[in-house]
Amino acid sequence: MAAYLELEKLQKEGLVRSIGVSNYTPEDYAELMAGGATVVPAVNQIEINPFLHRKDAVEFFKGKGILLQVSE
């Protein structure tokens, strides 16, 4: 959480264009935003494969306008 908040400061200073997260679940996202984050992550890197599809997470993040970078 603290690292994300520091990245927000860097973005406000113009040193970072976008901020993303990795392996976040909808619950992690809710905790991040409740913890004081004001910038919605631009991307979430998550693993998806035939045995781990995460349909609910995909729909949740798409609904928030967060792009998914998928690793297989």
Side-chain angles (χ1 to χ4, degrees):
M1 171 91 56
Y4 192 89
L5 296 177
E6 288 300 316
L7 289 171
E8 283 190 358
K9 290 178 187 176
L10 293 173
Q11 186 182 34
K12 288 178 185 170
E13 293 174 16
L15 299 172
V16 175
R17 287 189 210 171
S18 299
I19 304 171
V21 293
S22 181
N23 296 316
Y24 265 50
T25 64
E27 295 81 13
D28 295 327
Y29 172 82
E31 183 179 333
L32 177 70
M33 300 312 284
T38 58
V39 176
V40 174
V43 66
N44 182 16
Q45 298 174 324
I46 62 173
E47 179 182 4
I48 294 178
N49 62 55
F51 303 105
L52 182 64
H53 181 58
R54 299 183 177 181
K55 181 179 179 181
D56 294 338
V58 170
E59 290 176 7
F60 174 84
F61 288 110
K62 283 186 177 181
K64 297 287 183 187
I66 299 170
L67 297 176
L68 294 175
Q69 180 178 6
V70 178
S71 64
E72 300 177 3

